[in-house]
Amino acid sequence: MPSKITRSGTSFRGFMPSIKSPPSVPWHSWGEEGATLLLEFSPEVVHYRDAQDRQFQLGTISHPFSYTPDYEVTLRDGSIVFIEVKPAQEARRPSVANRLALSRAGLAERGFPLYVWDEKITGANIRRDTLRLLRPWRGRIGRDEADEARDLVARMQPRTFGGLIHLARTKTRALNWLANGAAGIDLDLPFLSTAEIFVDPPEMRHAQIFA
């Protein structure tokens, strides 16, 4: 009988409010919450979605299995990749590691890279804390207002988050601007008033996640 690699259970734990994939994308675990946060704010990603409807028949004739990844992601170069969110301890189990290796090879044959994300990516403390802080403001302003904020920031060139607060006049508004693409910060550095602001381009920065 074919075996399966899939999520355990079907109950949603929560949703990520999304500009890239409106109105929201579900997550089913602590790790997947971290993954959706990163996918939503990473400048490398233009679209992502829950991939529970993408079941691939892999393996050999004598040892077939079906595989369902967690997320389907479209990168800004137009390529499509898949994400499997798996705790490192579970991913190291021989049976799981072997099945994931076979899944990666099977998807590669179809032209789709598969990335396995553990807590080093989805649970990086500084990054996750900053993204959780920005999440409530995602999508809270319209496109025109976001564009106006982006133009103002580009013209005034604030150097730090403190400078962005001064320009926006309130911390709440500055967070709203950051969450909606008016400027960027380095997600892997402490988010302080002295944190550097990036306006050219106005994108978030982070360590490599597609490698």
Side-chain angles (χ1 to χ4, degrees):
M1 293 289 292
S3 57
K4 292 184 178 181
I5 299 181
T6 185
R7 292 190 181 110
S8 58
T10 58
S11 298
F12 291 166
R13 298 281 189 90
F15 292 88
M16 174 68 207
S18 178
I19 292 175
K20 296 177 179 178
S21 307
S24 61
V25 177
W27 49 269
H28 307 256
S29 67
W30 185 86
E32 288 188 12
E33 180 205 17
T36 59
L37 284 166
L38 190 50
L39 292 169
E40 180 64 29
F41 285 95
S42 173
E44 298 180 54
V45 176
V46 297
H47 182 267
Y48 67 104
R49 70 181 190 90
D50 181 273
Q52 284 297 283
D53 62 343
R54 295 299 303 269
Q55 188 173 92
F56 294 93
Q57 303 303 318
L58 304 175
T60 63
I61 294 177
S62 57
H63 296 91
F65 67 95
S66 60
Y67 171 68
T68 301
D70 292 321
Y71 295 100
E72 177 184 310
V73 180
T74 303
L75 303 182
R76 60 180 163 189
D77 65 2
S79 61
I80 293 176
V81 305
F82 289 95
I83 302 295
E84 172 76 26
V85 180
K86 191 76 68 179
Q89 184 174 1
E90 182 178 352
R92 284 194 296 266
R93 289 170 47 198
S95 60
V96 175
N98 180 63
R99 199 64 63 84
L100 287 174
L102 292 173
S103 298
R104 182 182 285 114
L107 288 183
E109 290 177 356
R110 290 161 172 78
F112 299 122
L114 172 65
Y115 297 96
V116 179
W117 284 4
D118 62 18
E119 54 271 25
K120 289 182 180 179
I121 292 180
T122 65
N125 290 336
I126 291 175
R127 182 193 301 162
R128 190 185 185 101
D129 290 347
T130 298
L131 291 175
R132 276 179 165 171
L133 179 64
L134 295 174
R135 175 173 54 190
W137 306 105
R138 189 70 166 170
R140 292 282 291 275
I141 59 176
R143 180 174 296 178
D144 289 345
E145 186 176 349
D147 289 343
E148 289 175 4
R150 189 179 302 110
D151 291 343
L152 177 61
V153 172
R155 187 168 69 252
M156 301 304 293
Q157 296 280 315
R159 300 297 183 186
T160 65
F161 180 55
L164 186 68
I165 294 174
H166 180 75
L167 181 62
R169 303 203 174 180
T170 68
K171 184 176 181 180
T172 294
R173 196 177 185 198
L175 288 170
N176 211 333
W177 285 2
L178 274 179
N180 291 284
I185 57 173
D186 191 324
L187 297 172
D188 296 319
L189 296 177
F191 187 31
L192 307 173
S193 62
T194 55
E196 184 178 1
I197 292 293
F198 304 111
V199 299
D200 187 23
E203 295 179 343
M204 298 298 177
R205 299 186 183 184
H206 53 72
Q208 178 61 251
I209 57 175
F210 295 107

